[in-house]
Amino acid sequence: MKATHSFLTFPTKRNTTGVVGVCKTVNTVNGKKFPCYVVTYFDDDDKLRKKKFHFKSKAESEVFQEAVAFRKKYEQKLLREYLNSW
């Protein structure tokens, strides 16, 4: 993974979750709507990726915490790689 992407320190005004890279949205499949949280990140090939966390069998707050943990883990990995490149 290339450490070429910077992260915002604070969420923008449009952010509704309060966490950079995590948003709440609705996923539509076959006309049915499923609420979920989406985490955006860049993969090893520098392509923008999105990982969805659905509220199917868990509470919304629990799913939100999972999404935030995934994003933070990704940021920590990227930071380690950036620091090791010096």
Side-chain angles (χ1 to χ4, degrees):
M1 176 186 305
K2 301 173 192 169
T4 58
H5 303 286
S6 60
F7 293 102
L8 297 173
T9 307
F10 299 101
T12 63
K13 290 186 226 178
R14 298 182 308 170
N15 186 307
T16 58
T17 63
V19 179
V20 174
V22 179
C23 69
K24 185 177 178 182
T25 188
V26 176
N27 189 24
T28 304
V29 178
N30 294 330
K32 294 182 181 180
K33 295 183 179 184
F34 300 98
C36 64
Y37 284 100
V38 178
V39 178
T40 55
Y41 63 99
F42 288 90
D43 68 2
D44 294 338
D45 298 324
D46 257 0
K47 292 186 179 180
L48 183 65
R49 299 290 181 189
K50 296 178 182 182
K51 181 170 174 73
K52 297 176 183 176
F53 294 84
H54 294 275
F55 308 163
K56 291 178 187 173
S57 60
K58 298 180 182 178
E60 182 177 346
S61 60
E62 186 178 346
V63 175
F64 177 69
Q65 293 303 321
E66 288 177 14
V68 170
F70 179 84
R71 175 68 184 196
K72 295 297 177 190
K73 185 176 177 182
Y74 170 74
E75 289 178 2
Q76 290 171 354
K77 178 181 175 185
L78 191 63
L79 180 62
R80 275 193 306 271
E81 290 180 4
Y82 176 75
L83 294 175
N84 289 336
S85 69
W86 283 87

